[in-house]
Amino acid sequence: MLKGVSGLLAAPMDLLLSKAPVGMLRRPRSVCSSKLVSAAELLECIQEGRGHESLRPAYSMPTFGWLISQAGKAKGRHQGLRTMIVLGPDGERRGWFVYYANPGRPAYVLQIGAHRRLQFGEALLALFQDAWEQGSAAVKGQAIPQFLTTLTEQHCLFRSE
């Protein structure tokens, strides 16, 4: 009985909380746009932006396409794989993210990246905005140590599972 009542109250409470003056409860708004792309477009974007890391995977299109197709077939609690690139107001690629959008449940991030270190916050905010638009209740994923400051500035919470 409580399950049915809580379901009826959840949507109105979400709406009310999204109008609250507290930043972490408001709808995320990014100056960048995100675009759903194919595996080939995503790989091109990742390869453009990965020049500054000393250790990085070297994908070929067949293996990357297979990897994305396997992620798309995930069963169980993950569904709705979204492969996205982040475009700045000028149309320039700024970053990418890959995640499972789970309406009414937490989204789960597989990967997020930016072409330049200072663009990570833009990619993160674009991810939050897309997850919100897809109806996800929260966003979960592994923390990236070099971006802990950016993550905390966006009101991310950390816990071990």
Side-chain angles (χ1 to χ4, degrees):
M1 184 171 174
L2 287 177
K3 184 177 181 181
V5 172
S6 67
L8 291 173
L9 296 176
M13 287 301 292
D14 283 346
L15 179 66
L16 289 173
L17 289 173
S18 70
K19 306 299 181 208
V22 178
M24 64 190 266
L25 300 176
R26 294 185 140 204
R27 178 185 181 166
R29 299 227 188 257
S30 175
V31 297
C32 295
S33 61
S34 54
K35 175 182 159 188
L36 194 58
V37 294
S38 67
E41 291 173 287
L42 178 63
L43 177 59
E44 185 180 310
C45 183
I46 290 171
Q47 288 175 333
E48 277 178 14
R50 289 293 182 130
H52 60 278
E53 294 179 7
S54 58
L55 181 63
R56 61 186 179 275
Y59 296 112
S60 67
M61 189 50 232
T63 57
F64 188 74
W66 177 85
L67 185 64
I68 294 296
S69 73
Q70 293 302 303
K73 293 177 186 176
K75 302 285 187 225
R77 64 182 200 206
H78 299 304
Q79 59 187 354
L81 182 70
R82 294 181 59 83
T83 55
M84 312 286 289
I85 61 171
V86 178
L87 303 168
D90 55 3
E92 177 187 326
R93 290 181 185 163
R94 303 270 175 104
W96 67 92
F97 52 89
V98 179
Y99 79 107
Y100 294 105
N102 295 313
R105 296 185 324 196
Y108 186 77
V109 180
L110 296 177
Q111 187 178 71
I112 182 172
H115 285 193
R116 293 181 189 85
R117 185 178 179 93
L118 294 176
Q119 294 172 335
F120 180 80
E122 295 172 346
L124 183 65
L125 199 52
L127 164 66
F128 290 163
Q129 180 174 323
D130 193 71
W132 177 286
E133 291 168 357
Q134 297 304 310
S136 297
V139 176
K140 294 174 74 172
Q142 292 185 347
I144 305 169
Q146 68 203 41
F147 297 117
L148 287 177
T149 301
T150 305
L151 292 165
T152 55
E153 287 170 350
Q154 290 298 326
H155 310 288
C156 294
L157 305 174
F158 304 96
R159 67 183 182 121
S160 61
E161 290 191 13

